Amino acid sequence: MMAKKIDGKEVAREVRSEVKARVEELRVSHGYTPHLAVILASNDPASNVYVRNKSKAAAEVGIRSTQHTLDPTTSPAELLALIDKLNEDDDVDGILVQLPLPSQHNMGVVLERIDPAKDVDGLHPINAGRLSRGDENCLIPCTPRGTIRLIESVNPKLAGKRAVVLGRSRLVGRPVADLLLNRHATVTVCHSQTVDLADMVRSADILVVAIGRQGYVRGNWVGFGSIVIDVGINRTEDGKLMGDVVFDAAAERAEAITPVPGGVGPMTVAYLLDNTLKAAEGRRR
Ligand code: NAP
């Protein structure tokens, strides 16, 4: 039996339409429309496309967005001054600094400068710390939130499940592990020093792969009947997007699996909108 293909585009549409309805509620109840400020500090063409897509997606659900485009040679002090200004601006609910940053900036310093209440990427240590303490009343990174929603679209009961997460980055692996733990899964986090990775993967009821290595996870590593979420995005020489998991072979064993593209990717933008709304609701409450 082939696995069910989890349709990230469809689930992302559901999330966006929930956000749109709540944006409208906020407008009616408080006369207020959430506002996302996006800072683009590099001239990287991919970043340009991402920022444009985010602004377009925001407009579609009724969220205002403004773009602050800086010259790539902008000094660290100028970027921090812009963040300070946006932190103080009561009309701004969410601040997103598009990564990667030009080399003169220190990413940690920049991300820590954002007011945690406006940190829609959820990367500020205060938000990460709350999440790791089991408190989800904070802003949580978008891709991990999308990952959990996709898992729950297949099976909403995660308690007692054996979950294996490949990757321990602040952006994906760690927050995914926190969210799974908060849902009472038994979580193992693997990384580049993990021994016997294939055995770990085989033991998983829920497998989340976020390592950034095309086709690294073989189909015969995947446990029968598991849910497989492939977060990886790898571009081949001919420009195709591929995941970290060998999709066809894994689909012969899994119960459900995400494709790349069309799996986790669309969820990330949907949860950026949700986080912007959550920030606005939190600040106006
Ligand atoms: P990252 O910061 O480079 O982290 C990669 C993680 O994978 C690290 O923890 C690393 O271990 C681990 N790793 C690397 N090689 C490994 C191996 N052979 N075996 C086991 N673990 C290994 O990457 P990231 O930001 O988390 O992103 C991961 C992937 O997800 C990338 O392909 C990225 O493009 C994609 N992504 C997709 C979305 C989306 O919207 N779909 C969003 C964000 C990221 P160490 O810690 O030991 O180095």
Side-chain angles (χ1 to χ4, degrees):
M1 264 260 290
M2 284 294 277
K4 169 186 180 319
K5 197 195 267 191
I6 304 170
D7 186 346
K9 285 190 200 156
E10 180 53 37
V11 183
R13 249 193 301 276
E14 282 170 26
V15 174
R16 289 203 310 265
S17 84
E18 290 160 16
V19 170
K20 190 173 182 178
R22 279 168 47 218
V23 166
E24 180 56 14
E25 261 174 48
L26 188 68
R27 193 186 65 76
V28 171
S29 63
H30 287 70
Y32 187 75
T33 304
H35 178 193
L36 172 67
V38 181
I39 300 177
L40 179 60
S42 79
N43 58 0
D44 170 42
S47 294
N48 237 302
V49 173
Y50 293 144
V51 165
R52 212 176 319 127
N53 288 346
K54 287 168 185 175
S55 301
K56 192 166 156 261
E60 280 166 10
V61 297
I63 290 177
R64 290 177 291 151
S65 73
T66 45
Q67 186 177 325
H68 301 262
T69 306
L70 303 180
D71 190 276
T73 61
T74 296
S75 72
E78 282 172 286
L79 173 56
L80 295 178
L82 173 59
I83 294 173
D84 290 344
K85 195 172 127 231
L86 296 171
N87 282 340
E88 281 156 26
D89 186 345
D90 191 46
D91 187 49
V92 171
D93 299 294
I95 302 171
L96 181 144
V97 177
Q98 182 65 44
L99 302 175
L101 289 168
S103 59
Q104 70 271 28
H105 302 290
N106 178 326
M107 188 182 72
V109 170
V110 169
L111 296 178
E112 284 191 35
R113 193 71 164 234
I114 298 171
D115 177 349
K118 298 186 178 187
D119 168 39
V120 286
D121 260 343
L123 296 173
H124 192 288
I126 288 195
N127 285 314
R130 287 211 176 116
L131 177 63
S132 79
R133 286 173 18 159
D135 175 4
E136 295 192 10
N137 191 18
C138 59
L139 290 166
I140 300 167
C142 307
T143 304
R145 289 192 69 198
T147 297
I148 297 298
R149 174 78 175 239
L150 291 179
I151 296 168
E152 289 180 336
S153 76
V154 180
N155 184 352
K157 281 177 66 182
L158 306 189
K161 298 286 182 207
R162 232 180 302 189
V164 174
V165 180
L166 266 55
R168 56 175 164 178
S169 70
R170 290 178 192 172
L171 184 62
V172 189
R174 283 170 199 262
V176 164
D178 287 335
L179 290 166
L180 287 165
L181 197 56
N182 291 351
R183 283 154 187 74
H184 313 295
T186 303
V187 184
T188 305
V189 181
C190 302
H191 45 78
S192 64
Q193 309 288 310
T194 299
V195 178
D196 295 334
L197 192 63
D199 287 341
M200 298 284 184
V201 169
R202 210 165 282 128
S203 71
D205 301 314
I206 295 162
L207 175 67
V208 178
V209 185
I211 59 175
R213 289 173 179 253
Q214 184 191 325
Y216 191 84
V217 174
R218 311 284 145 171
N220 65 2
W221 293 12
V222 168
F224 287 103
S226 56
I227 298 173
V228 179
I229 308 294
D230 188 351
V231 184
I233 299 180
N234 308 284
R235 199 172 280 280
T236 62
E237 277 177 8
D238 54 358
K240 270 177 69 180
L241 293 185
M242 304 284 288
D244 290 344
V245 179
V246 179
F247 180 89
D248 288 341
E252 287 177 17
R253 296 165 67 106
E255 178 197 349
I257 182 168
T258 55
V260 178
V264 176
M267 300 300 288
T268 299
V269 177
Y271 274 103
L272 169 66
L273 306 176
D274 190 84
N275 272 355
T276 305
L277 173 59
K278 191 174 172 184
E281 289 170 338
R283 295 181 61 253
R284 307 279 143 189
R285 210 177 285 138

